Amino acid sequence: MKKKIVILLTATLLGSALTLTTSQPVQAISKKAAITLSWHNQSYRKVKLTKTTYVRKIHWRTPNYKSTVGPKIKLKKNKVVRIQQTGTDFGWYMHIPGRSGDYTIVKRYNDYSWFKLM
């Protein structure tokens, strides 16, 4: 009888100790990490522009390295767009609501100061 009580008490204490040690608070991630994660998933992220930004329309050719870009288009602050960070050709792909085609941003590849995640 004593063995059953000791085993039951030990199992209860171990279970509660594991519960206390495994619960962790939720941690927020940075803009860079969130966009990098979406880059690996090959999906677009919805963002809000925090600065006036210039973009150029991509005119796709085959093979892709022969693609060209059009003239600058100005996007105002607080515009909601969808972006994807890429590893080749153009630093960013962008979809703009109300406009057709793909756009690229006229900014450095590692600059994350022009948007805010939604």
Side-chain angles (χ1 to χ4, degrees):
M1 187 69 178
K2 286 184 181 180
K3 279 186 175 180
K4 288 183 180 179
I5 294 173
V6 170
I7 291 173
L8 183 62
L9 185 61
T10 305
T12 306
L13 289 174
L14 280 174
S16 63
L18 287 174
T19 304
L20 290 174
T21 57
T22 57
S23 61
Q24 296 178 359
V26 176
Q27 296 181 2
I29 59 176
S30 68
K31 286 184 193 178
K32 182 178 181 180
I35 295 299
T36 304
L37 289 174
S38 73
W39 174 65
H40 290 297
N41 294 335
Q42 294 297 314
S43 61
Y44 285 82
R45 294 289 303 236
K46 188 185 269 189
V47 297
K48 182 185 253 185
L49 301 178
T50 58
K51 297 178 179 179
T52 299
T53 308
Y54 290 94
V55 297
R56 292 176 180 260
K57 185 170 184 176
I58 301 171
H59 301 287
W60 292 108
R61 303 286 184 265
T62 303
N64 282 349
Y65 71 87
K66 291 186 177 182
S67 300
T68 59
V69 293
K72 285 184 185 179
I73 299 170
K74 182 178 179 179
L75 296 180
K76 293 185 179 180
K77 182 179 175 178
N78 295 328
K79 176 104 172 142
V80 176
V81 296
R82 298 180 67 77
I83 62 171
Q84 176 188 5
Q85 189 174 23
T86 64
T88 59
D89 300 328
F90 307 103
W92 300 93
Y93 292 151
M94 180 182 293
H95 287 275
I96 303 169
R99 292 183 180 261
S100 63
D102 295 324
Y103 291 82
T104 186
I105 190 95
V106 187
K107 289 206 179 274
R108 293 189 320 271
Y109 179 67
N110 59 354
D111 182 10
Y112 301 95
S113 65
W114 52 274
F115 66 86
K116 180 174 72 172
L117 292 174
M118 294 188 72

